[in-house]
Amino acid sequence: MADLEYSEDPRRSKQQRRDEVTGLKMWKLPVTDPAEQNSTKASYDVILLSDEPPTDPPFESGGGLRPIVLEGATVQPRLGGTGQYKSLKYLVRATGFRLVTGQAGTSSGGSRSAGGTGSGKTAS
């Protein structure tokens, strides 16, 4: 899904956000970490940087979750929350992903530009 700029004017057409450093378009990929014990931290968005839209991994039966590995990933800590309920959050960015098949640590052949999540994470 495209990461669009915020506009207070609903009539104004929204532009897709671009990374300030690379100038590449930003795409959001919702991911889930099935190993995370805290339910509020188990799902989050990965920002994918690419001029081309991400391609979805082929659908696999069994719940719709597909294990993937991030390529070119960076993680940046941020302060999240409001008021007295602040917490440490992370901004996760990647340049691509690849599917994990079979045994843990084995990945499929093709890597995909701009469409990924962290090691051991699953795309939802």
Side-chain angles (χ1 to χ4, degrees):
M1 141 187 337
D3 190 6
L4 302 176
E5 292 180 353
Y6 173 76
S7 172
E8 290 185 14
D9 184 359
R11 296 170 292 184
R12 182 177 159 234
S13 64
K14 296 182 179 165
Q15 299 293 318
Q16 186 167 357
R17 293 178 58 201
R18 289 192 173 265
D19 181 60
E20 295 175 3
V21 175
T22 64
L24 295 172
K25 290 182 179 179
M26 298 171 67
W27 308 87
K28 286 185 184 178
L29 178 72
V31 298
T32 300
D33 182 354
E36 177 61 55
Q37 298 296 319
N38 185 336
S39 62
T40 60
K41 295 179 182 178
S43 293
Y44 52 92
D45 289 331
V46 171
I47 302 297
L48 303 168
L49 304 175
S50 175
D51 281 327
E52 299 298 318
T55 57
D56 288 335
F59 179 75
E60 296 176 10
S61 61
L65 297 179
R66 298 161 299 233
I68 57 177
V69 176
L70 285 177
E71 294 179 345
T74 60
V75 179
Q76 178 182 2
R78 308 185 101 172
L79 188 60
T82 59
Q84 66 184 17
Y85 303 104
K86 300 221 183 279
S87 62
L88 184 61
K89 304 272 184 190
Y90 297 96
L91 175 62
V92 181
R93 295 177 183 220
T95 57
F97 72 93
R98 65 178 185 259
L99 293 174
V100 176
T101 59
Q103 302 176 24
T106 306
S107 61
S108 68
S111 89
R112 298 167 197 269
S113 160
T117 121
S119 176
K121 308 301 184 240
T122 56
S124 39

